[in-house]
Amino acid sequence: MALTRRQWNNILIFACLAMILLFNVTHKRWLSGDANTRLELIPAEAIILTLDYPAGQLELIGQGWRVSPANLMPEQEAGRLVQQWLGLTALPLSEEEMPSASELLTEPDMVVRITLAGEAVPRVILLRQFKQRWFVRLGEQVGELSDLTIRFIAPMPLRQMRANDA
């Protein structure tokens, strides 16, 4: 029973479709192992409407950002700052580190409220620096941010304000 070239092409097409279907159905299971290693604070596909820092607010107006007070940062920097929050993840803490980090975050250095499109309540993110490490808390989830990450998500005046408070 020999197959013609057209029949082989049909078999290959259906095999490829079956593989695509298989990958689409099972990709979440394969990726769930990576999700456990990082704590997602803001989804990459989210739309941020407002970012409230202790010293000011960034608000989405059309396709630009309104910064108040105006001397907080230039509007061009505001757009870059918001982009840094999208897809932001933190390293989860081990069981041993969890109780002390949770206690640390009861008195945070910085509280950031982020309103996302489609969410009625803003996300409250607590940030605390302790022994050259930055800890972050979102709800009951606690993680650690790198020093490089904190430089990208906190505008310069706010980092300086935090340093002057200490």
Side-chain angles (χ1 to χ4, degrees), residues 111-162:
V111 178
V112 181
R113 288 178 176 76
I114 301 175
T115 305
L116 300 178
E119 291 185 5
V121 179
R123 294 183 181 208
V124 179
I125 298 176
L126 308 174
L127 297 165
R128 172 75 180 204
Q129 185 178 22
F130 182 72
K131 295 184 180 178
Q132 305 301 319
R133 294 171 67 188
W134 280 93
F135 295 96
V136 61
R137 179 176 183 174
L138 174 63
E140 296 301 315
Q141 301 175 320
V142 179
E144 183 179 356
L145 292 175
S146 70
D147 190 46
L148 181 63
T149 301
I150 201 70
R151 289 180 188 170
F152 285 122
I153 64 171
M156 182 58 76
L158 297 177
R159 290 196 311 270
Q160 290 172 346
M161 179 189 74
R162 193 249 162 243

Side-chain angles (χ1 to χ4, degrees), residues 43-65:
E45 65 277 354
I47 298 173
I48 296 177
L49 300 176
T50 62
L51 239 141
D52 290 319
Y53 286 100
Q57 179 185 50
L58 285 76
E59 184 178 8
L60 181 63
I61 303 294
Q63 294 188 359
W65 292 94

